[in-house]
Amino acid sequence: MLNVYLSGEIHTDWREQIIDGAQGLDITFNSPVTDHAASDDCGVAILGEEPNKYWHDHKGAMVNAIRTRKGISDADVVVVRFGDKYKQWNAAFDAGYAAALGKSVIVLHGPEHQHALKEVDAAALAVAEKPEQVVEILRYVLTGALPG
Amino acid sequence: MLNVYLSGEIHTDWREQIIDGAQGLDITFNSPVTDHAASDDCGVAILGEEPNKYWHDHKGAMVNAIRTRKGISDADVVVVRFGDKYKQWNAAFDAGYAAALGKSVIVLHGPEHQHALKEVDAAALAVAEKPEQVVEILRYVLTGALPG
Amino acid sequence: MLNVYLSGEIHTDWREQIIDGAQGLDITFNSPVTDHAASDDCGVAILGEEPNKYWHDHKGAMVNAIRTRKGISDADVVVVRFGDKYKQWNAAFDAGYAAALGKSVIVLHGPEHQHALKEVDAAALAVAEKPEQVVEILRYVLTGALPG
Amino acid sequence: MLNVYLSGEIHTDWREQIIDGAQGLDITFNSPVTDHAASDDCGVAILGEEPNKYWHDHKGAMVNAIRTRKGISDADVVVVRFGDKYKQWNAAFDAGYAAALGKSVIVLHGPEHQHALKEVDAAALAVAEKPEQVVEILRYVLTGALPG
Amino acid sequence: MLNVYLSGEIHTDWREQIIDGAQGLDITFNSPVTDHAASDDCGVAILGEEPNKYWHDHKGAMVNAIRTRKGISDADVVVVRFGDKYKQWNAAFDAGYAAALGKSVIVLHGPEHQHALKEVDAAALAVAEKPEQVVEILRYVLTGALPG
Amino acid sequence: MLNVYLSGEIHTDWREQIIDGAQGLDITFNSPVTDHAASDDCGVAILGEEPNKYWHDHKGAMVNAIRTRKGISDADVVVVRFGDKYKQWNAAFDAGYAAALGKSVIVLHGPEHQHALKEVDAAALAVAEKPEQVVEILRYVLTGALPG
Amino acid sequence: MLNVYLSGEIHTDWREQIIDGAQGLDITFNSPVTDHAASDDCGVAILGEEPNKYWHDHKGAMVNAIRTRKGISDADVVVVRFGDKYKQWNAAFDAGYAAALGKSVIVLHGPEHQHALKEVDAAALAVAEKPEQVVEILRYVLTGALPG
Amino acid sequence: MLNVYLSGEIHTDWREQIIDGAQGLDITFNSPVTDHAASDDCGVAILGEEPNKYWHDHKGAMVNAIRTRKGISDADVVVVRFGDKYKQWNAAFDAGYAAALGKSVIVLHGPEHQHALKEVDAAALAVAEKPEQVVEILRYVLTGALPG
């Protein structure tokens, strides 16, 4: 059995592609809350409003960290996806956190980010461009079967 | 329950002998991918061709490391088998890795390798020559029963 | 005595400002190689050319990781600076790595990055906007003296 | 300051080349006992003869392990050299041990061993062919200066 | 699945409120023995009377520590409740213990204790005033659903 | 659920008393092999005869260590029993090993050994004289119920 | 050499009594910032005003945590003093934090707090009432000399 | 440099023999307080009388543990000596504690204790009968020189 945490970009369906593709494999997937609005507002929605945007963000980030820490700590493999937009510093942060804990890291990004992600890629055991490659790695790791 | 990782030589049926011999014992066995060709080519088959043989090998070794790390980390006992041929540096590497994590290491090799393996044997809790001895150790550890 | 690692942006003189400002305090500072060209090319310059840009970058990132890991592991405090340009994923990676090791993290960035850095800030013990604030924190931590 | 452990092959002067080349750098080098006869016989010479060669070897390997463990545990960087002859399983064992402890590993070997060492190389931050490359890496890591 | 330890004040029904509110969520709750008399006397009741009150207390505190350590070690999240009365130093001790182990800490207290608890709150990922807020955090962490 | 390892004296039925007394509680018990002859001879019975008694003992102690390490590592609570006879250094060794791993240690011995065991007792959370006291502690830890 | 961290109450001169009494012993003492006003205001004084008292306190507590973590992490012995007034939850928090890291804890308090501090005392290796007793413990630990 | 802790029997001059024999080697030696009366009474002498002998012993054992923990934690090598008399359970406890921390353990005892100490010896890297053998091991480990 493999426990896989899917970190990073939340605007495309890459998580669904991986989870669907991995059907039939003995894998437990976890991920952050991917509802952008809920993720941004969870702190103040539960713990009370903050007039200052910094503390608004801070409270939410702290609550989300409860889920993220649990997800990464429990994982055997952490997949970190970098998309086309935004700074995505939380993704790189998760990669560093996972690497320091000795987790197997798989980075998923397009070739245009190779230079900017070279330090992150250097801490990974695989660098993939497409979700199906991640599925193939997970299948191979669990069953020894190669694609095709 | 015991979790046992079977590392090392992949050209004889020693793993099957141990797994068969241990039937009825509460043991989960794990091992690397033992299909030599798949193990060598998994990196490029999934993540794309490399013209340079070094990187071809590297990509594969990294993907295999996802499975190996998981197998050793989860194990209570790591059995490392050295056969007659090849350098088998990956077996010795796994033994060192397991020893540093405080795993119980059992080394399995013929008497002709005693001198060359003395540092590896010195980190082990048992040095066996035959797979059935490993089975007997596992049975004794779990049930207290000695052979015969 | 305090050991401080200065991670992140390498295009302005923020490291010099902190080191100069901290003169007289019992602090050892470390940082990555900040010569951008050397940092990019160290792998191939020492270990041999790579025709493929990905492996060119990879070799350099791995060599730089020797220094980075040492710097963060030895540190009591890791200061991570995010500047105006570039993706700076290595800075966020270092912050995650340091946080997972239980280091005290200070993040240094302008207010325009508050939302994008909220997960990184949430793992920090201080979020500063200017290098002199970092100096003041270090002075206070070592001596108990406040500015002014 | 960097603490470097030089593990592996003891029949050529690669350690001297590295130590000489690194003069002027703030590095403490450690290594196993490289006197082959002393290393083989230390156990029985101190703790008493063993008629059985296995236990002769075992006693020596255990005594040498006191030095090796200390050397690797104290190290920031572990250089592991594989030469042309012998099985050198102790070198691969040290590499695995160092990798599991999170040490920065540099592997030093000729191109003829690339395939056999692919799992060991995959755990390294640098793979060099010549001692002077190791010196250049150490100089770069400490000073940021590239060769030439 | 989430493992949650409920530490601190034992004179109100806050634990029941949280456990009831969290019905339907995949959470295992643990807590100290909340029968005040049993908790005070367990040591002497089982291991023999002590004429000196200090050792009476000591024996009980040690036996309770078996349960507390297990509860905190197994937890993903440690909720620490401070009530209106008593010194409650054991609650603050548990918070420090949990923080040092890297657990996600949620502190639960009224606004009148904010200043006195600032160091404890600073080690927490969430500071709540009411048990239902803790339930909402746990629901959000597990399901991503916000209240309302 | 509690995992309890029962270490030490193997000549009386104290383990059975504890296991019987704890029926109905959610506890998994483990212990060393308590068949004295099997425990002494397991090494040579499986791995081959040794003419030298020291190595005969050594091989057996190493094989038994596979079971002991697993038992202590998995335990929440380690009960260490000291009886009337023999040196019982292995019991004290297990207590030290368990204490260093942060396990909750319960020591079980008669009052005549109090002075000689003061360092061991000082590392324990409870010191009992009778097996039924251990049962009562385990019941209290799991259920909060006191005897009588 | 011994590294001792002096945590807790800041309104009497107990730290000076210990440091003075320990003159001539090879001890490095560290402590939190004991200037109450500086300790409360350090966050906003350096990082900017907060209109909300909670965040004012929070910022300060986080900056102080940089010093506290360093002090406790570096310590062999952590002395925690509880005085007559205030909640002193930060002292109990430090005790828990130190205990979880395996530090030797000495608690210093008057007999009136014995019952309330029983869980904290149970995690300590010594419970003293007067600063000179702490000095005597430190002298004995370093030199073996008893008072008088 | 080597840090060596000398644990165990305090009635013969074996520590002096080792320390004298090791003159000129770069070794720091530490040991428990070897004044038997001071070691037994340190708790009550400093922290106040106890009418009950058990608590008298307990207080002393706890204070001595401050020194022992520090000594073992700082050590690279822990030498544990078993003499002819007494139960010496504290020596076996120290050996277990040191082994669990991954320290290199050297056991020193006469041949009459081989069977009773087989589990302790099995956790050691060397088993010596005379103090001068320990000196020779330490000299070899530091310098590579064998006796004679």
Side-chain angles (χ1 to χ4, degrees), chain G residues 87-143:
Chain G
K87 294 291 189 180
Q88 306 179 76
W89 284 321
N90 57 327
F93 180 89
D94 282 359
Y97 196 93
L101 296 184
K103 304 296 174 181
S104 291
V105 174
I106 300 175
V107 191
L108 178 60
H109 63 80
E112 69 279 12
H113 291 319
Q114 278 184 1
H115 186 67
L117 280 169
K118 65 184 191 294
E119 288 86 3
V120 177
D121 288 355
L125 289 178
V127 179
E129 295 191 7
K130 300 174 191 167
E132 54 261 41
Q133 290 174 309
V134 175
V135 172
E136 287 163 0
I137 290 171
L138 297 175
R139 175 171 295 117
Y140 172 75
V141 166
L142 278 170
T143 71

Side-chain angles (χ1 to χ4, degrees), chain A residues 41-91:
Chain A
D41 296 335
C42 62
V44 296
I46 298 173
L47 297 168
E49 291 301 311
E50 292 293 332
N52 181 327
K53 185 63 164 57
Y54 177 81
W55 296 117
H56 176 114
D57 282 349
H58 187 72
K59 270 174 142 173
M62 299 291 265
V63 169
N64 283 312
I66 299 175
R67 180 168 170 133
T68 308
R69 282 194 194 178
K70 163 79 174 162
I72 297 180
S73 295
D74 286 359
D76 302 303
V77 176
V78 176
V79 181
V80 189
R81 162 79 180 160
F82 291 84
D84 295 336
K85 299 175 194 156
Y86 309 110
K87 293 293 191 180
Q88 306 180 74
W89 283 320
N90 58 327

Side-chain angles (χ1 to χ4, degrees), chain G residues 59-115:
Chain G
K59 270 174 142 173
M62 300 290 266
V63 168
N64 283 313
I66 300 175
R67 181 168 170 135
T68 308
R69 282 194 193 179
K70 163 80 175 163
I72 297 180
S73 296
D74 285 359
D76 301 304
V77 176
V78 176
V79 181
V80 188
R81 162 78 181 160
F82 291 84
D84 295 336
K85 297 177 195 155
Y86 308 109
K87 294 291 189 180
Q88 306 179 76
W89 284 321
N90 57 327
F93 180 89
D94 282 359
Y97 196 93
L101 296 184
K103 304 296 174 181
S104 291
V105 174
I106 300 175
V107 191
L108 178 60
H109 63 80
E112 69 279 12
H113 291 319
Q114 278 184 1
H115 186 67

Side-chain angles (χ1 to χ4, degrees), chain D residues 17-38:
Chain D
Q17 289 184 49
I18 290 175
I19 294 170
D20 285 355
Q23 278 185 357
L25 295 173
D26 189 8
I27 301 178
T28 301
F29 288 102
N30 288 290
S31 58
V33 171
T34 55
D35 175 335
H36 198 152

Side-chain angles (χ1 to χ4, degrees), chain A residues 58 61-62 65 69 93 97, chain C residues 95-96 98-100 103-107 117-127, chain E residues 125, chain G residues 62 69:
Chain A
H58 187 72
M62 299 291 265
R69 282 194 194 178
F93 180 88
Y97 196 93
Chain C
K103 304 296 175 182
S104 291
V105 174
I106 299 174
V107 191
L117 281 169
K118 67 183 190 295
E119 288 88 2
V120 177
D121 288 355
L125 289 178
V127 179
Chain E
L125 290 178
Chain G
M62 300 290 266
R69 282 194 193 179

